[in-house]
């Protein structure tokens, strides 16, 4: 598949979030497995296949109205008897509306923070003190993918879900056009990782993503993604990977002991 990266840097005035700074909070876990496939990001049952099922619901400041969907965090519990110092890596698939903890983890992710043989002990705690920081998501052999949602209707409505967004990035805008056309139309974030438009170009479709990581934003152009006969329920390879990592200056957090 033909791909082309259009690098176009421009200034964003995003406040410096310093995502990769270490934050202190608490984490709990979902006692019902079903909670994982009903996450606010809209990944549905696909979520269970992400990151070995190590998933998390995050508070609104991390969820960011859906822009935080698919972001990865390293998280460790602070009790060194109970937990390993490396902790584990989770991917955001849901919004946590409970203000007692920054994260609610899948039980698999919660147990993965524990030292060997202490998985049941950490579950018994139910809630633990944690430290966390944002880390890049890595999809080595997996390109960014676009899943056409079931609500899509040829010619009138197109809803897509973004999957396998690597690096430490946010997609803040998506444009769509017929392949070969410069007549771009914008899509809107419907919810979570789902974007839509009711002005659907005919023919095969290309997409242009505005991706930010830290201060920088750039266009990433996926030249040919959907065939003319695109179908709802099908996932299409974008032919590109996003792997940018925030370069923002994070002093004084750069001096953190947790590298
Ligand atoms: C740490 O975890 C161990 C094992 O569960 C427990 O015995 C101990 O009380 C915990 N320490 C603190 C400070 O919570
Ligand atoms: C947390 O949520 C509870 C219940 O929804 C609410 O009563 C409380 O004021 C909240 N606390 C903070 C710090 O927002």
């Amino acid at each position: 598949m033909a791909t082309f990266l259009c690098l176009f840097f421009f200034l964003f005035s995003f406040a410096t979030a310093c995502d990769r700074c270490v934050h202190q909070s608490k984490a709990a876990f979902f006692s019902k497995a079903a909670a994982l496939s009903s996450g606010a990001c809209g990944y549905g049952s696909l979520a269970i296949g992400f990151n070995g099922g190590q998933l998390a619901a995050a508070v609104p400041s991390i969820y960011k109205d859906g822009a935080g969907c698919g972001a990865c965090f390293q998280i460790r519990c602070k009790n060194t008897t109970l937990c390993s110092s490396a902790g584990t890596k989770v991917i955001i698939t849901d919004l946590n509306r409970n203000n007692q903890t920054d994260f609610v983890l899948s039980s698999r992710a919660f147990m993965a923070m524990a030292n060997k043989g202490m998985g049941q002990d950490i579950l018994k705690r139910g809630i633990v003190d944690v430290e966390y920081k944002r880390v890049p998501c890595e999809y080595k052999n997996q390109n960014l993918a676009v899943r056409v949602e079931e609500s899509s209707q040829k010619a009138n409505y197109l809803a897509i879900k973004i999957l396998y967004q690597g690096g430490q990035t946010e997609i803040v805008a998506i444009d769509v056009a017929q392949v070969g056309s410069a007549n771009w139309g914008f899509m809107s974030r419907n919810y979570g990782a789902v974007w839509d438009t009711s002005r659907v170009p005919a023919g095969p479709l290309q997409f242009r993503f505005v991706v930010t990581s830290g201060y920088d934003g750039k266009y990433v152009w996926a030249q040919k993604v959907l065939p003319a006969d695109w179908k709802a329920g099908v996932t299409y390879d974008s032919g590109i990977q996003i792997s940018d990592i925030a370069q923002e200056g994070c002093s004084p957090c750069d001096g953190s002991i947790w590298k």
Side-chain angles (χ1 to χ4, degrees), residues 79-83 118 121-122 125:
N79 180 331
T80 51
T81 313
L82 193 59
C83 292
M118 305 207 74
D121 299 78
I122 194 171
R125 287 296 183 88

Side-chain angles (χ1 to χ4, degrees), residues 74-116:
Q74 189 84 21
I75 177 166
R76 68 174 178 186
C77 102
K78 291 169 71 176
N79 180 331
T80 51
T81 313
L82 193 59
C83 292
S84 74
S85 59
T88 194
K89 187 170 165 179
V90 298
I91 180 169
I92 304 304
T93 58
D94 198 3
L95 171 65
N96 171 25
R97 293 180 179 84
N98 175 333
N99 63 13
Q100 319 253 286
T101 68
D102 281 6
F103 293 103
V104 181
L105 307 185
S106 62
S107 54
R108 184 171 292 192
F110 200 70
M111 288 169 78
M113 293 191 297
N115 281 318
K116 233 188 176 73

